[in-house]
Structure formats: C-alpha cells, structure tokens
Amino acid sequence: MSAREQQQAQPPPAAPPEAGELDAGNRYEAVVPHWFYCKVTDSRERWVPFSTQDSERLEEAHGSGRDKEDLVVPTSGGRYDVHLKKRQRVAVYWEEEVSEVRRCTWFYKGDKDNKYIPYSETFSKELEEAYMIAVTLDEWKKKLESPSREIIILHNPKLMVHYHPVATSDDWGSTPTEQGRPRTVKRGVENIAVEIPNGEPLQIDHLVFVVHGIGPACDIRFRSIVQCVNDFRNVSLSMLQAHFKKAQEQQQIGRVEFLPVNWHSSLHSTGVDVDLERITLPSINRLRHFINDTILDVFFYNSSTYCQTIVDTVASEMNRLYQLFLQRNPLFKGGVSIAGHSLGSLILFDLLTNQKAAPEEDEHNEEVRALRWCMDPWGTPTALARFLCTEKNLKEMGIPLGPRMKILHYISSKEETQVCLLTDDARNCQYRDVGLGQVSANYPQLNYKPTIFFAFGSPIGMFLTVRGVKRINPNYSLPTCKGFFNIFHPFDPVAYRIEPMIVPDLEFEPMLLPHHKGRKRMHLELKEGLTRMSVDLKNNLLGSLRVAWQSFTRAPLPAVEAASTDAETEADASVEKQPDETPPAVKEEAPLINVGRLNGGNRIDYVLQEKPIESFNEYLFALQGHLCYWESEDTVLLVLKEIYQTQGITLDQPLPGSQ
C-alpha cells in the first residue's frame, strides 16, 4: 500500500522558477482570509463571498478578539447582521433562513458546478500550518486527512490536490484511499475564480419601499419579492456608477436603499387557504392551487374582510420598516418614496388617496385649519360640517371675513359635486371622485409623506374605470404625495394608462422611456425611419399628381401670356411648398400636454422600449412584459433620475427624449 501511495503521490517535475521559490525558506507569507456565507437555493448550497468592504469589517472585528462575545457586525448595506460568535448571517428587515458564515482561507473545487468550496475554519488552520512547515523546511508531499476522511496532498505551492474517499471493504473494515478523480486545492481567495464586489456606499440618500403584486412569486423564475428587489438594487448601483459618476466623485450622493414589503404571507396565514382547500376540486390539481395562491389575491382585495387585512399589513409593514430603518440609520435625512408592482400599485394608490395631510402643516392658517376640520379624507364636506359651518358659527370661531367667505363658498361648491356623485346619471357631472367604488375599509395612515409614487405594470386605470370613475379631476393630487409615475411595458397585459382619464378629449402617446445607453433601440429607429419615409413618399406622390391634374385640366390661354406665367409661378410655388407640409404624426416637437396636478403638472405615463426579439411576437412575450421591471435598466434609471432631481442632482449627460 505504501508503494502504491508513493507512486501516486509523485508530482510532475517542477519548473525551475518553482524550484528557486522553494529554496527560499523565509518566503512564507500568511494567507489573507476572506469571509463567505452559505446561501441555500433549492436544497443546494452555494458559498458567496462578502464584499471587500464587509469582509474587512468582519476581519477587523475578528482580530479585535471580541468575537468570543456576541458581537454583531452589519453587512450588505445594513440589511444583514453577522453574529461573529455564532458565525451566523441574519436578515434585518424581513424573514429569511439564517446563513452560516465562515472565515475562509483554503478552498477545494466542487464536483457538481466546479465552484470552489471553503474548508472549515478548523481544518483550514491545519492546512495552513502544514503549508507553513512545508515552505519553511522545503519538505513537500505532505498528506493530511480531513475530519470527513478525505485526503489532501501538498505536492508543492502550485500543486495541491484533494481526493474524495473511496472505501475499500475487507474483513478488517474499510480504509480510505486516494482513489478517484483528484480535485484542485487553492490557498487564498485571490487564487480562485470568484467575483468579489467592492461594497455599497455607506451614505443613503433616499429610501424606497417596494410592494409586490399577486402571488408569492414576482418574476418568471418564481423568485420572491426579496430576491427581485435585490436585483433592482444591484441595477441601481450600476446605474449610479454609469450616469451619476460626477456626483459620486464629488461625494454629493451615496445610494438609494430599496426594501421589500411582503403582504402575501400575512394574507394566506389567516386560514383562508384551509377553507379554500375544502372546496377545491381534485382535478387539474396544480393549476387550481396556482389560481388559489395567485389569481385569487385580486378577489381577496375586493373583499371588505380581506382588503382590510391587506391594507393593514402593507401600511403597518412600511411603518415598521421605516422606524427600524431610522433606528439603524440615525443620521438619515433623506426622503421616502414607494413603488408597487401590479396589484401592489393599486393597494398603494388606495392607501395614498386615503391619507390625511399632516396636522402640523399650515397650523397658523385659520382657513386651512377650519377646512381640515370640516372635510372628510376626500375633501368633501361632512354632514356635521354642513350643519355647523354657517357664517355665524365661523365668525364665533374667530375666523376673519375673507377666509370665512372662502370656506362657505368652498363648502357650497363641494356640496354640488357631492350631489352629482351620488346621482346615477353620470352625464350631469364632469368628474367622479377617485375614491368612488373603493372597498369599504379603514385605511391606516403612514408615518411619513412619500416623495414619489412609482407604479410598475399597474392596473390602477382599469380598476378606477370598473369602480365607475370616468374622469380624474385635473386639479386632483394625492394628499401627501406630489409625484406619481405610471411605468409599463408596451406588451404588459395587466398595465393600463392614467393620462387619458385626466385628458379624455385628446389622443396622445405615453412618454417613451429613453434607453439607458442614450438612444432608441435600433429596431424602433428603423421602424420610425420607414414610417417617415413612407409618409414623405406619399406626400410627394400626391403633390405630383395634384400638379399634373391641374396642368391637364387648365385651359390654354395663348392671348394672355402674363396671366399664364403668373399661374405657372403659383403652381411652382405650391409644388415647392408641398413637401414641407408634414402631418402632425411626423412632427418632432409635440405640443405640451397638461395632464393635471397628479404628478405636479408633469407627464405620468411612461412606456418602456421593447427589445428586438420581443417585437416579433407580442403575445409570446406578454407574461415576460409584466415581470420585466426588476431587471430593467431603463426603469431603474427613471426612478433614480426622478429621486435625485428632487435633491437638485441631475444625470451626467441628459438622455435624449427625457422630460
């Protein structure tokens, strides 16, 4: 057995540079450790490196000798805490399985995906000690046995192999041998092929809460809202480096934090799944369970019982996350925005329309104070207000004459609108309240005023129409949120527009989101070029036919040459002017469109540019169009642009076609 081991353990002849390196006995340098955590996906373990910034912070805490205590180190931008003593990585803002953490120095290549797997910290110390002795004494061909009876042989600094045990049974038991395919062993993270991120900026400029739509899965790969928001956040970091580089170099900005809000698990933990299971037919089992878990969320939201559960969960979860975020980031002075996908955008819209303005605003203004007292959340006079708000009572309250008359006039005008809303004949009134047809629920209040509301693939327009809202008053704005952007993919079957409900008499296209690389996609430019060319050819052909017909039908007048010359001159002038007449569809400068105050006077509807492959078949990519927003650079760039624009920070280079 020893002879066979010696035969297999013989390494290939070392190159001369390696021999020279081995002669230097004092060349040993301690290995630089890097920290990893184990991520389990579908029962498969994958070791992921911490960012360089987080690994250095963990190593510093480990070197301080305080890891024997229950020392907690925040990582991943503060979204995860690492408990050094327990070697665990714990999510802060949401529920997630606890991950194992290792201080890694030695690795071996796995047998499935060829990814390097770190050895345990204890065995890595043994390998490092053996390596140090081998380098110092120049004695190689060291053989070590791991706790799992695996054999590692150190041939030289460049050749170290790992053998999985293959047990040979006999009468005396089983003994491990180094038979089997050897696996490469590497020392130090710099010698393995792994991408290590630098880390996220410590400064947080803005906070965005993201609410998911129907079902537990949020994209085509059936990933959770946490994973999708992680992708959205990663894309935002790359977009900041690409389009806000000057502001980053001048340390004007840091980053935007995105936190997921999950309401689906709370809804389905009420016991409704058990009730549905009793009445669900046994046939087409998977399809029925999929419908119960996803599509029925829309019906749940239209039920007063479960609608209350959903809005309570969303509001309380956002308030909880906001308070927790402030506790962990006491120096945060930025704003807060909210984003919703699919049904989540409708939930947020209903919440925002039922918010009340902060009581500390304009408290010095008697008129505003009195208006807030006598109006309901929709700005409609309450019954008590109509009874008490007389000129005599307002005068006794000490309200001056001017504000008094304004309040009385406002209440009388609102009474007329309310009467109009209550009538069945919608033709007699111009606008219907956006709160009309909402499910009867007690909408909770948020602890903050959102800066901007972003809706991705939103059915808000459809639900408002179904509820009976035909038009949105151009003067209407969300009570506590002044920004509203409706972003959708052109093939998204769930998305609907908002602007035609504000300006129904005018037909106009939504704003085309510019490509993040600064131009339209090639197939769209080609399509527009062909359209423009066909229109020009049509105009030229019609102009030529018109001139030919005029010359054919015009009677010859040889006696009056001067008049004929003048007529020809006019005809020539008309021919020259004809090509300049461009139809409105081809004009580059579109007239400014007033879409009301819902987004502060700015455009609301923004459409993404479809990819070239998506333009071949709209139906084939319809589902993908509804789930594409999490990794869409154009969507993320618009969100970042609008958020930082509120802080006076613009893109390095304005994108063509942007507002």
Side-chain angles (χ1 to χ4, degrees):
M1 178 176 176
S2 59
R4 186 177 65 180
E5 290 181 358
Q6 292 179 359
Q7 184 178 2
Q8 292 183 354
Q10 285 182 358
E18 293 181 3
E21 188 177 2
L22 296 179
D23 292 337
N26 55 356
R27 285 290 183 88
Y28 170 77
E29 295 181 0
V31 64
V32 178
H34 195 92
W35 292 74
F36 282 66
Y37 64 91
C38 183
K39 189 173 183 180
V40 180
T41 306
D42 296 333
S43 304
R44 296 183 59 182
E45 293 184 354
R46 183 168 62 93
W47 286 91
V48 182
F50 283 97
S51 66
T52 304
Q53 187 182 69
D54 290 340
S55 182
E56 291 175 354
R57 191 181 296 114
L58 290 169
E59 185 63 23
E60 181 181 356
H62 172 77
S64 65
R66 297 175 56 194
D67 56 339
K68 295 181 180 180
E69 308 172 6
D70 192 12
L71 186 62
V72 178
V73 180
T75 59
S76 302
R79 296 180 298 276
Y80 290 89
D81 283 340
V82 172
H83 298 259
L84 277 183
K85 183 179 180 180
K86 300 178 181 178
R87 291 294 196 267
Q88 290 180 345
R89 177 177 179 261
V90 182
V92 174
Y93 296 104
W94 54 82
E95 294 182 359
E96 188 177 308
E97 290 288 336
V98 176
S99 303
E100 180 186 354
V101 174
R102 282 186 190 175
R103 182 176 179 263
C104 305
T105 52
W106 285 77
F107 307 83
Y108 69 95
K109 184 174 288 189
D111 43 344
K112 290 185 178 180
D113 51 3
N114 289 330
K115 296 290 182 63
Y116 280 92
I117 302 173
Y119 288 105
S120 66
E121 295 187 34
T122 304
F123 189 63
S124 293
K125 290 181 180 179
E126 297 181 14
L127 287 171
E128 184 64 20
E129 291 176 0
Y131 179 84
M132 179 181 65
I133 295 173
V135 171
T136 305
L137 303 179
D138 195 14
E139 295 179 356
W140 294 95
K141 302 179 183 177
K142 295 285 185 180
K143 181 185 298 185
L144 293 90
E145 184 175 333
S146 69
S148 56
R149 307 188 71 184
E150 298 171 346
I151 297 174
I152 295 91
I153 302 177
L154 309 181
H155 292 294
N156 59 53
K158 302 295 182 182
L159 181 59
M160 295 172 283
V161 293
H162 174 117
Y163 292 96
H164 280 286
V166 178
T168 56
S169 300
D170 51 22
D171 295 338
W172 302 97
S174 60
T175 57
T177 68
E178 59 233 49
Q179 292 179 354
R181 187 167 63 89
R183 312 199 186 284
T184 306
V185 176
K186 294 293 183 181
R187 175 180 178 265
V189 71
E190 65 275 4
N191 294 319
I192 65 174
V194 61
E195 183 178 354
I196 301 177
N198 294 325
E200 303 176 12
L202 298 178
Q203 175 185 340
I204 299 177
D205 305 318
H206 204 87
L207 177 63
V208 180
F209 295 121
V210 185
V211 181
H212 66 85
I214 61 173
C218 297
D219 69 347
I220 200 70
R221 288 174 283 178
F222 296 96
R223 296 185 303 167
S224 67
I225 180 63
V226 174
Q227 295 171 305
C228 292
V229 172
N230 286 343
D231 278 352
F232 201 86
R233 187 187 305 109
N234 293 333
V235 174
S236 73
L237 294 175
S238 63
M239 290 295 101
L240 285 174
Q241 295 177 358
H243 295 276
F244 292 88
K245 194 171 183 180
K246 293 180 181 178
Q248 282 189 332
E249 292 175 351
Q250 298 173 3
Q251 297 183 350
Q252 294 179 336
I253 64 173
R255 65 181 178 90
V256 177
E257 180 61 279
F258 298 89
L259 295 181
V261 178
N262 186 357
W263 55 266
H264 181 269
S265 56
S266 298
L267 170 65
H268 288 264
S269 63
T270 58
V272 65
D273 289 347
V274 178
D275 298 335
L276 286 174
E277 186 69 25
R278 296 193 192 100
I279 60 176
T280 302
L281 299 181
S283 59
I284 51 173
N285 187 44
R286 292 186 179 180
L287 179 59
R288 294 185 189 277
H289 279 284
F290 174 78
I291 293 175
N292 289 348
D293 209 26
T294 56
I295 307 299
L296 288 190
D297 287 348
V298 179
F299 298 95
F300 284 139
Y301 186 67
N302 284 282
S303 163
S304 59
T305 301
Y306 295 107
C307 175
Q308 188 67 58
T309 302
I310 293 174
V311 296
D312 285 344
T313 302
V314 172
S316 62
E317 182 68 6
M318 289 196 295
N319 288 335
R320 182 191 70 84
L321 292 174
Y322 181 64
Q323 295 299 329
L324 181 59
F325 179 83
L326 292 182
Q327 292 176 8
R328 297 178 62 89
N329 301 272
L331 300 179
F332 176 74
K333 302 297 182 183
V336 182
S337 294
I338 55 179
H341 175 243
S342 189
L343 182 62
S345 63
L346 177 66
I347 298 171
L348 291 177
F349 183 81
D350 289 343
L351 272 174
L352 290 178
T353 53
N354 286 275
Q355 296 298 298
K356 299 178 182 179
E360 64 271 10
E361 281 188 3
D362 299 324
E363 282 299 326
H364 62 280
N365 193 324
E366 296 86 353
E367 177 185 355
V368 174
R369 197 163 60 243
L371 278 174
R372 185 180 299 115
W373 168 76
C374 64
M375 300 297 166
D376 63 8
W378 301 110
T380 306
T382 61
L384 180 63
R386 290 193 294 270
F387 177 74
L388 295 179
C389 284
T390 62
E391 184 175 3
K392 180 181 178 180
N393 293 337
L394 294 177
K395 184 177 180 179
E396 292 177 355
M397 292 172 60
I399 299 177
L401 177 61
R404 213 160 56 222
M405 299 307 295
K406 290 182 180 179
I407 293 174
L408 293 174
H409 176 72
Y410 184 78
I411 291 178
S412 62
S413 64
K414 283 292 182 178
E415 283 179 346
E416 295 176 0
T417 305
Q418 179 70 6
V419 171
C420 179
L421 290 178
L422 293 176
T423 58
D424 294 332
D425 189 3
R427 294 173 296 179
N428 297 331
C429 59
Q430 188 177 9
Y431 306 113
R432 281 178 172 264
D433 200 301
V434 293
L436 187 70
Q438 282 185 354
V439 179
S440 177
N442 182 18
Y443 291 91
Q445 301 297 302
L446 301 177
N447 295 338
Y448 52 87
K449 293 197 306 179
T451 305
I452 306 175
F453 168 40
F454 298 98
F456 307 142
S458 173
I460 292 176
M462 181 268 291
F463 271 86
L464 290 179
T465 303
V466 171
R467 290 170 177 176
V469 180
K470 295 184 178 297
R471 293 189 63 181
I472 298 177
N473 194 329
N475 294 324
Y476 177 78
S477 62
L478 298 173
T480 59
C481 182
K482 304 306 179 186
F484 177 28
F485 290 86
N486 183 34
I487 306 168
F488 53 89
H489 190 279
F491 304 154
D492 189 342
V494 182
Y496 289 82
R497 293 190 62 186
I498 297 292
E499 292 173 340
M501 299 187 68
I502 304 174
V503 192
D505 300 329
L506 184 63
E507 292 186 3
F508 55 96
E509 296 295 325
M511 289 289 292
L512 183 67
L513 265 179
H515 194 263
H516 66 280
K517 292 185 178 179
R519 59 173 297 171
K520 287 185 180 180
R521 295 186 184 272
M522 185 64 67
H523 70 286
L524 293 179
E525 290 186 348
L526 181 61
K527 182 179 179 180
E528 289 185 359
L530 293 175
T531 303
R532 189 178 296 109
M533 184 185 302
S534 63
V535 172
D536 292 341
L537 288 174
K538 178 182 177 181
N539 291 336
N540 292 333
L541 179 60
L542 291 177
S544 301
L545 291 175
R546 188 181 297 109
V547 173
W549 178 257
Q550 289 176 357
S551 62
F552 177 75
T553 58
R554 186 173 57 222
L557 299 173
V560 191
E561 295 181 358
S564 176
T565 305
D566 295 339
E568 291 177 1
T569 305
E570 293 178 0
D572 294 338
S574 64
V575 173
E576 293 178 357
K577 292 180 181 179
Q578 187 66 30
D580 294 336
E581 296 179 2
T582 308
V586 187
K587 290 183 180 180
E588 296 183 358
E589 295 184 0
L592 295 177
I593 302 172
N594 182 13
V595 291
R597 297 174 51 195
L598 195 56
N599 191 24
N602 300 317
R603 294 293 301 271
I604 300 172
D605 294 336
Y606 285 80
V607 59
L608 294 169
Q609 301 182 37
E610 73 271 16
K611 297 178 181 178
I613 191 174
E614 294 174 344
S615 61
F616 287 107
N617 193 316
E618 300 178 359
Y619 296 94
L620 187 62
F621 293 94
L623 180 60
Q624 174 64 26
H626 183 59
L627 305 173
C628 70
Y629 306 99
W630 309 114
E631 298 177 350
S632 170
E633 294 92 345
D634 301 344
T635 302
V636 174
L637 187 57
L638 175 67
V639 172
L640 294 177
K641 182 178 79 72
E642 296 300 330
I643 286 176
Y644 279 110
Q645 194 167 309
T646 61
Q647 304 178 14
I649 298 173
T650 58
L651 299 170
D652 293 340
Q653 296 291 335
L655 297 176
S658 60
Q659 188 172 350

